[in-house]
Amino acid sequence: MQNQSILIAGPCAAESREQILTAARELAAVGVSLFRAGVWKPRTSPASFQGAGDEALSWLAEAKRLTGLPVATEVATPEHVDKALEAGVDVLWIGARTAANPIAVQEIADAIRKTCVSRKSGVEVLVKNPVNEDASLWLGNIERLEKAGAKVAAIHRGCNHKPCWAMAFELRRQRPDVTLILDPSHLSGDAEKIPMLCQQAMDLNYDGLMVEVHPHPEEALSDAKQQITPHRLQEIVSQLVLRKNSQIDAELLALRKQIDETDDAIWSLIAHRMEVVEKIGDYKRAHGLPVLQSNRFSELMERRVQWATQNGLDADIVRYILNALHEESCRHQL
Ligand code: PEP
Ligand code: MN
């Protein structure tokens, strides 16, 4: 990884003193920048392991003392904020479930504001994207915490094990100044996919990674399928291929010109398509025909997907674009 890249790693949950100290010691040897472990776990089912709770804060403090690594944990309430900071936790993170609720995030931000005022320094907070694909809510949460005086970074953890790259690109577009970290563990839910996703994060110029690492993943009390060993993390990181921010030369500029010209043609055709759609809308109105003609749309979709796959395009992306075009066409006719 780039020297300046951030590498956050540690178990999904703090399970025991021994597990935390072993993980922290092994990860310090790997050279991670921050040790993570969930103390209070927001689990879907009440029957699942809910985290070791307050007791685990002292294990994190001990891990920090032993290894010198700063430590991070998830906070979901103002009480968590106070307890974690009091125990010496260096960095807090807001999980995806909490991130879906702006009232909860504001309460956390208010608790952080109090600490920032009394310490006269900022608290570092990592803000995960919400469980649903919503770039605006993610950006709003970041703003709430910044207004409270926190130093914020964003964590992209996908939605329902789908990457939703567009959501992260939108965050980058609107807030290029915010550090962006990929969490391949929650994004995929699958330890096998972590090397590929870490490489994609580097290729997409992310600022770092947050990876779930457990000394014995198969024994983990939560997220066992997505955790890897410290040794595996070391291997993955050492095999990452890095790209450099080199000069943009004439060859790339010429290719970009071709893209711009192709886009000009595509958008002119879309504008033309909408003109035709308007005319069809007038016809349907004049003849009392319904706007939605589902047989025609099914036929169109089938034909286009078939053509597209024969021409090397992905069927899902073709469906996605055609659905959006069709929805907009219907809107023009209503
Ligand atoms: C976590 O990082 O342990 C966690 C619970 O993640 P998320 O909120 O992304 O599901
Ligand atoms: Mn987890």
Side-chain angles (χ1 to χ4, degrees):
M1 287 175 73
Q2 271 107 328
N3 285 340
Q4 69 275 25
S5 291
I6 301 158
L7 180 58
I8 307 169
C12 175
E15 298 168 359
S16 69
R17 176 173 171 269
E18 195 203 344
Q19 172 240 19
I20 284 298
L21 297 186
T22 307
R25 219 179 284 120
E26 293 181 8
L27 286 169
V30 173
V32 306
S33 0
L34 176 65
F35 180 70
R36 61 144 285 157
V39 167
W40 305 282
K41 298 300 299 175
R43 305 305 302 286
T44 304
S45 163
S48 306
F49 174 59
Q50 308 289 303
D54 298 7
E55 187 192 4
L57 291 171
S58 65
W59 308 336
L60 285 179
E62 196 176 345
K64 177 175 161 173
R65 247 189 343 269
L66 279 178
T67 61
L69 280 177
V71 295
T73 201
E74 174 170 352
V75 291
T77 66
E79 200 190 5
H80 291 166
V81 172
D82 294 343
K83 286 182 178 172
L85 294 176
E86 210 159 288
V89 170
D90 304 277
V91 177
L92 309 177
W93 85 78
I94 308 234
R97 286 157 193 81
T98 308
N101 177 354
I103 293 185
V105 174
Q106 189 59 52
E107 282 175 2
I108 293 169
D110 291 342
I112 287 172
R113 179 186 287 113
K114 278 192 219 131
T115 308
C116 289
V117 170
S118 65
R119 286 183 173 187
K120 296 197 179 66
S121 70
V123 171
E124 283 187 55
V125 185
L126 311 171
V127 183
K128 294 217 182 190
N129 68 262
V131 268
N132 48 326
E133 183 175 4
D134 190 338
S136 308
L137 187 53
W138 195 9
L139 284 156
N141 287 341
I142 290 171
E143 200 183 324
R144 284 176 199 279
L145 286 147
E146 284 176 334
K147 281 195 170 144
K151 294 179 206 152
V152 178
I155 305 220
H156 173 206
R157 50 85 73 208
C159 309
N160 293 322
H161 296 162
K162 292 197 187 75
C164 304
W165 293 112
M167 174 179 56
F169 299 163
E170 181 59 15
L171 181 108
R172 260 287 198 241
R173 191 183 70 77
Q174 290 201 38
R175 292 295 309 269
D177 56 314
V178 170
T179 298
L180 180 60
I181 292 166
L182 188 79
D183 172 346
S185 312
H186 293 93
L187 189 148
S188 66
D190 181 354
E192 294 285 312
K193 294 193 177 135
I194 288 176
M196 175 194 72
L197 286 165
C198 290
Q199 184 59 53
Q200 288 180 350
M202 296 299 105
D203 294 345
L204 291 166
N205 216 13
Y206 277 59
D207 301 297
L209 300 164
M210 184 199 246
V211 186
E212 281 195 341
V213 176
H214 193 290
H216 305 286
E218 65 291 347
E219 291 169 16
L221 300 181
S222 57
D223 287 349
K225 287 200 190 110
Q226 70 196 34
Q227 303 206 57
I228 57 173
T229 61
H231 176 69
R232 184 74 187 117
L233 179 69
Q234 168 100 70
E235 278 178 353
I236 292 171
V237 167
S238 68
Q239 285 164 11
L240 288 175
V241 179
L242 305 179
R243 299 186 184 219
K244 36 182 200 310
N245 277 320
S246 59
Q247 290 285 311
I248 289 171
D249 63 10
E251 191 182 343
L252 182 57
L253 283 177
L255 288 168
R256 282 187 171 169
K257 189 160 171 277
Q258 283 183 43
I259 287 285
D260 289 346
E261 286 165 2
T262 309
D263 282 353
D264 285 346
I266 291 172
W267 287 106
S268 308
L269 284 171
I270 290 176
H272 174 67
R273 190 187 198 277
M274 288 306 161
E275 283 166 20
V276 179
V277 159
E278 298 273 2
K279 284 186 193 149
I280 294 179
D282 292 343
Y283 180 93
K284 286 178 181 166
R285 216 168 291 116
H287 293 81
L289 293 171
V291 166
L292 180 62
Q293 307 264 327
S294 48
N295 287 351
R296 157 83 179 144
F297 183 50
S298 302
E299 208 182 283
L300 207 128
M301 180 68 90
E302 224 167 90
R303 196 156 24 96
R304 192 55 61 194
V305 168
Q306 199 180 23
W307 179 91
T309 42
Q310 279 161 0
N311 285 275
L313 295 174
D314 180 77
D316 284 345
I317 197 71
V318 172
R319 276 191 208 100
Y320 180 81
I321 293 172
L322 199 51
N323 267 319
L325 264 179
H326 180 251
E327 186 182 335
E328 180 60 4
S329 301
C330 288
R331 203 182 61 77
H332 272 252
Q333 293 183 355
L334 286 172

